[in-house]
Amino acid sequence: MIDLEALAARTLVVPADAGDAVAFAADELAAYLGRLFGRVPERRTEEGRPGGAWLGLGTAGAPPALAAGTEYAVHARDDGAVLVGRRPRALLAAVYALLEAAGCRWSPDGREEIPGHGRARRLVSPPDGRPAFARRVWAADLATWHYTVPERLAARLPADVAFVDWMAKTGATGLLFIRHANDTQWHVPELAPELRRRDLAIEGGGHALVELLPRELFAVHPEYFPLGPAGRSDLGNVCVSSSGALAVVRERARAARAALPDASDLHLWGLDLFGGGWCRCEGCAALTPSDQSLAVCNAAADTVDDDGRIFHLAYHDTLAPPTSVRPHPRVWAEFAPRERCYAHAIDDAACPTNARYRAALEAYVACFDGRVDVFEYYGDAILFAGCAVPLAAIVARDLAYYRAAGVQGVSCLVFGRYSLWAYGLNIDTFARGAVSPERAGGVTEAYCARRYGPAAAAMARYLDALARVTAAAVTHGDVLLPPDDTAGADTVRAGLAAALREAPALRRLLGAAAAVSASDAIAPEERLLEYTLAVLGAVHDWLAARTDTAAAERAIAAVLAAGQDVRVLEVAGTWGTYDLELTHHFFAEALRARRR
Ligand SMILES: [Zn+2]
Ligand SMILES: [Zn+2]
């Protein structure tokens, strides 16, 4: 055991060569010990000690070596404790794990709880520094920062700074900025100092083939571009049988990595298209979309050094592993099962949908010799149409399965404050589960205590019921794109009808929570529930309308109106304010197109 209260009154030894992130870890340890125990250890730098990512608390002994598979360790000694990390962010994770053991409770919106003197736990066990997954990343689309509109960017950033702080406190390793065809930059420079101060990775790439193969080249080199049914087109990805095209992609991938502050990994994905985009020329015809995507990644792989990786995306038409192209040793697969069923865990044998995804993942693990990460959607406000969808049990079980299947890293897509509001429980559960899946099962109680105070128990009952009710809406991919075939449509419509019958029970449960607590955290939940019920009702009505165009239009209008109702709320963040409406119009058009 480590007596933190006693050590807070002693010394904090910092290596003489401490860089910014090690110094930051020392600052954080000292500051929080001060808040917990009313004493701040005296800072001391000792010459002649080894450098690196370590801190001595009450002791100046040299740090021991880390065991294989360990990111950090806290060694208790007679006279104190030594914290050592494989790199600065791991040392920082050790600091926060120790503080959490003393009773600190972190929060992604900055509302953390630090027990004061007399309430903090003074005797703690050394935390375990062997996380389940080596890469633990949050991902977000660059466009959601609205970086070309200064006031929107400025409105978003404070919440991001709080989120990045929480990322370090919960053991994340980095933030992935996802670039799309319309983007003009690779990351958000305004956030880089916050990430680097904590030694968190700035990951980049995405659906950015237009940047790696500029469309202007089409005029002189149409053969660089994919052959579709109507000839070569600059709308798709690339013709991988063209060595000239691959040479351009390779050089521009090198430049893209150089434009990223960390310049190690690159997520090299095809354009975000549902089918199509790949080439059918004579040379490419025998290659599946997955083979073609992997050929592009392979071409870029020898531009990275031994520490770097190129990520091939397994998604939509590349969900099945490549069949004829073998991955370069520096190419990893990133498995993104977006249209899976979220009503069941991915390994739940009762689910008719997820078996295909599970088989594809396991084939990827074999094909890539275990170099596979998973990209998940537990905070995806587009997939879930902004509806509240608590997935705590699904997230916990998924992560346990992913680890057992040999997946090495996990990431989760989020949309700023909106995701913290509508998917906050999923986000807490993912953060815990990425470090330790077996501890992810019990997150709901702590989450509700932090968010809802005295209404915690009532809110846990509500979220549990809400998870059961909304399951009917998340079996088929995008909530707002229900199945088109008669059997699938009937199943979803019947499920939604049953879900909507639970509306009074859900309102009663929320009312019970509101009665226990005057907390202003409950009122936004009531708005979110009404929005969610409105969307589920509209999807149900759209399915019921069948050939009745007027009824279908009324259902679409109901979705748009519901969005107007929540976008004005502060908790909706910039995504709720600006992006939700665009998303709704996109889906409205997609639904109308189906009926035309
Ligand atoms: Zn081709
Ligand atoms: Zn299912």
Side-chain angles (χ1 to χ4, degrees), residues 203-338:
E203 297 193 7
H207 303 287
L209 258 175
V210 295
E211 182 60 24
L212 302 182
L213 185 66
R215 306 291 114 163
E216 306 87 272
L217 289 172
F218 188 73
V220 270
H221 288 294
E223 78 280 9
Y224 285 4
F225 291 84
L227 179 69
R232 300 259 176 197
S233 163
D234 65 350
L235 292 176
N237 288 306
V238 53
C239 173
V240 300
S241 299
S242 162
S243 55
L246 291 185
V248 173
V249 169
R250 186 176 179 282
E251 282 319 302
R252 292 186 68 93
R254 185 202 300 276
R257 285 182 42 251
L260 286 160
D262 287 336
S264 54
D265 299 341
L266 184 69
H267 298 259
L268 209 175
W269 310 340
L271 296 174
D272 195 3
L273 304 170
F274 228 128
W278 294 103
C279 187
R280 303 180 193 178
C281 80
E282 208 176 310
C284 297
L287 300 175
T288 66
S290 221
D291 285 317
Q292 296 187 37
S293 169
L294 180 57
V296 177
C297 292
N298 282 350
D302 58 3
T303 69
V304 301
D305 60 21
D306 283 344
D307 294 334
R309 293 174 287 189
I310 299 286
F311 283 95
H312 155 89
L313 184 63
Y315 169 80
H316 291 174
D317 57 357
T318 58
L319 191 77
T323 53
S324 54
V325 178
R326 295 290 307 157
H328 184 290
R330 292 193 195 107
V331 176
W332 285 57
E334 190 157 23
F335 186 79
R338 190 172 185 277

Side-chain angles (χ1 to χ4, degrees), residues 348-363:
D348 189 334
C351 181
T353 303
N354 287 343
R356 178 169 87 90
Y357 291 90
R358 198 162 61 244
L361 173 67
E362 288 168 7

Side-chain angles (χ1 to χ4, degrees), residues 338-570:
R338 190 172 185 277
E339 281 76 32
R340 59 168 280 196
C341 168
Y342 283 95
H344 296 99
I346 198 137
D347 68 333
D348 189 334
C351 181
T353 303
N354 287 343
R356 178 169 87 90
Y357 291 90
R358 198 162 61 244
L361 173 67
E362 288 168 7
Y364 260 107
V365 171
C367 178
F368 279 68
D369 295 325
R371 298 190 308 279
V372 176
D373 284 6
V374 163
F375 182 107
E376 264 294 356
Y377 295 88
Y378 307 125
D380 187 344
I382 296 179
L383 178 67
F384 300 134
C387 297
V389 179
L391 297 171
I394 303 295
V395 175
R397 182 166 164 183
D398 279 354
L399 290 172
Y401 163 74
Y402 285 143
R403 183 172 60 169
V407 168
Q408 299 197 42
V410 286
S411 55
C412 180
L413 185 66
V414 283
F415 291 75
R417 287 190 65 184
Y418 196 97
S419 291
L420 293 182
W421 178 34
Y423 314 106
L425 176 59
N426 308 355
I427 287 170
D428 269 29
T429 307
F430 178 84
R432 177 70 76 194
V435 174
S436 171
E438 56 275 15
R439 289 178 61 209
V443 168
T444 303
E445 196 181 325
Y447 171 80
C448 288
R450 189 187 83 234
R451 282 278 299 263
Y452 309 112
M459 282 302 293
R461 283 192 289 278
Y462 164 71
L463 289 172
D464 196 40
L466 185 64
R468 284 196 303 276
V469 170
T470 53
V474 295
T475 59
H476 59 267
D478 282 287
V479 166
L480 283 172
L481 288 180
D484 226 4
D485 64 290
T486 307
D490 285 348
T491 303
V492 171
R493 186 176 49 76
L496 290 173
L500 291 162
R501 285 195 291 275
E502 298 300 317
L506 290 173
R507 292 189 181 108
R508 270 198 305 278
L509 285 166
L510 256 190
V516 186
S517 161
S519 161
D520 59 4
I522 309 295
E525 300 302 328
E526 292 174 327
R527 298 288 289 272
L528 187 60
L529 173 62
E530 293 309 321
Y531 168 78
T532 300
L533 293 170
V535 171
L536 267 49
V539 175
H540 170 272
D541 293 351
W542 190 85
L543 287 167
R546 297 189 185 273
T547 55
D548 182 343
T549 316
E553 264 311 313
R554 281 197 298 278
I556 289 170
V559 172
L560 299 175
Q564 292 304 317
D565 194 42
V566 293
R567 71 194 292 269
V568 295
L569 300 181
E570 201 196 336

